[in-house]
Structures are given as structure tokens and as C-alpha cells.
Amino acid sequence: MNGFLVLFAVALAVSAIGFKKYVWFISIGYGFAVAAIGIALLCMFGGQADTGLIIACVLFILYGCRLGGYLAYREMKSSAYNKKMKTEIKDGKGMSVIAKCGIWISAALLYACETSPVLFRFENGNMTDGWVIAGVIIMAAGLGLETAADLQKNAAKKVNPKRFVDTGLYRIVRCPNYFGEMTFWTGVFLTGIGSNTGVWQWIAVLTGYLGIIYVMFGGARRLEMRQDRTYKDDPEYWAYKNKTPIMIPFIPLYSVAKYKWLVA
């Protein structure tokens, strides 16, 4: 429990950047909080860690720095993105401090739960086994997918900023970056199998995993609705949308817009 409280405190400290702009609680603050948790795990348990768990912690750091850095760069440098987001996301200026604290605390708790499988490996004294090996491989694959998807989207938008992206990974799934995110956290979840003990640990692990899956589907719904408005008069977009899965390649789920309970 003490280790979990440390991760929660680290996540709170880093994601507090959201008090400057509340969406940063779940964007820039999210990325850098995961990176900071990776560093904290190495500081707490590095002396007893073996190769597999060290790799898992390093992947947290790489994942978080990549995501946080990418989001920060887009926030600071992309005027087109910021202009579009002003109509999509509330600026939070009228939000009470209590409401902001609620988002801050719940987000930090989610980040601690997401990373808890690796923490519990350390605390339970269970070092690398087949689940950890499989997990870190899947984590690395997810990180690679996210990175490739973002690079491909940026390249496509430079060529034609007004067109939806349907090249590269976007040929097989409409949200490959979200799919990469889910792949990464599926890998993290797998690292805990065979190690998690007791109801408390399983509650934390499942809360983190199911929570981020929900957030990703909610983000996909928000993106789909925005694209439907943006490209409503483009028949190529509708043809692309109706034949390309939205979240998971080869799984025939083409829309989540109707699922109003996905409010992430």
C-alpha cells in the first residue's frame, strides 16, 4: 500500500500542471506523470530489479516522455490545432476549484492504478517470468504503434491539412494511435498476471486497465463526431469510415458515436 501511495503522490505532483489549463490534467500531465512513475519505481526498487522489470520501467519513461512531449509541442506550436480545440474542449475558466481538484485526484489515481501491475511485481517479490516478457514485448509494440501513427498523421496533414488521414496505419484502423495506447496498457496488465495477490491489488489493476480502455473509446467517439462534422460533405470520408474499423484492426466496429455513455 505504501508503494501505491508513492505512485499516487508522484502522479498528483506532476499532473498538477492541469491547474494552469484543466485539460492538461489528462493530456500533458498524464504523459509526464507516467514517465515520473517509471523513474520513481526505479528509484524505489532499482536495486532489486531484474532486466524484465527494468525494461518495463524504462518503457514507462519512454512512453510518458514521448506522449507528454508530443502533446506539449502540439499545444505550443500548432495554432490550427488550438483554434480547432477552442470549439471542441471547454477552457475550464468557469470551473470551480473543487471540480478541478476532483479531476486532478481521480486522474492521478487512474495513473497510479494503470502502472500498478509493475509496482505489485516489485512489492510481491516476483521477478521476471513469461508474463513479464510477453508484457514488455506488447508494451514496446504499443509504443511503436502510437509513435508511427502520430508521425504518419503529421506527415499526411503537412501534405493536405484539410483531408482526413487514410494512409499508412490509418488504412487498417481509423484510430491507430488509440489502438497503440490500448496495446501498451494491455502489455502492462499482462506483466501483473501471476503476481497480483488479494482483492485490493486486483481492484487497482482492473481499475487502471478498464479505465484507460474506457477513456480510449471515449476519445474515439469524440474524434468520430468531430470528423463527421468536419467532413460531412465528403463522400470519400464516409466510404472510408464505413469500411475501416474505428479502434481495433479487422474487428468490424465502425462507429461508437451512438454510445452516449462513452463520455471521456
Side-chain angles (χ1 to χ4, degrees), residues 1 45 48 53 116-127 191-198 200-202 205:
M1 187 65 175
F45 302 105
Q48 66 190 67
L53 292 181
S116 65
V118 176
L119 167 70
F120 296 148
R121 273 273 170 189
F122 283 121
E123 290 190 333
N124 296 337
N126 298 318
M127 295 296 105
T191 65
I193 295 180
S195 175
N196 304 324
T197 60
W200 142 246
Q201 290 191 359
W202 276 108
V205 167

Side-chain angles (χ1 to χ4, degrees), residues 142-194:
L143 179 57
L145 282 170
E146 283 189 277
T147 303
D150 287 339
L151 290 173
Q152 290 173 358
K153 185 173 184 177
N154 286 342
K157 285 295 185 179
K158 286 180 180 178
V159 174
N160 190 346
K162 294 185 178 181
R163 179 181 167 79
F164 62 94
V165 180
D166 60 349
T167 55
L169 292 170
Y170 292 83
R171 288 184 180 275
I172 59 175
V173 63
R174 301 209 313 276
C175 297
N177 49 345
Y178 293 165
F179 175 63
E181 178 94 6
M182 293 192 299
T183 300
F184 181 89
W185 291 109
T186 297
V188 176
F189 177 80
L190 290 179
T191 65
I193 295 180

Side-chain angles (χ1 to χ4, degrees), residues 215-235:
V215 169
M216 289 298 101
F217 272 90
R221 178 177 183 267
R222 188 169 59 245
L223 175 62
E224 178 186 359
M225 295 172 69
R226 184 167 73 242
Q227 289 183 331
D228 285 354
R229 292 192 298 270
T230 302
Y231 306 113
K232 61 182 179 180
D233 298 322
D234 186 345

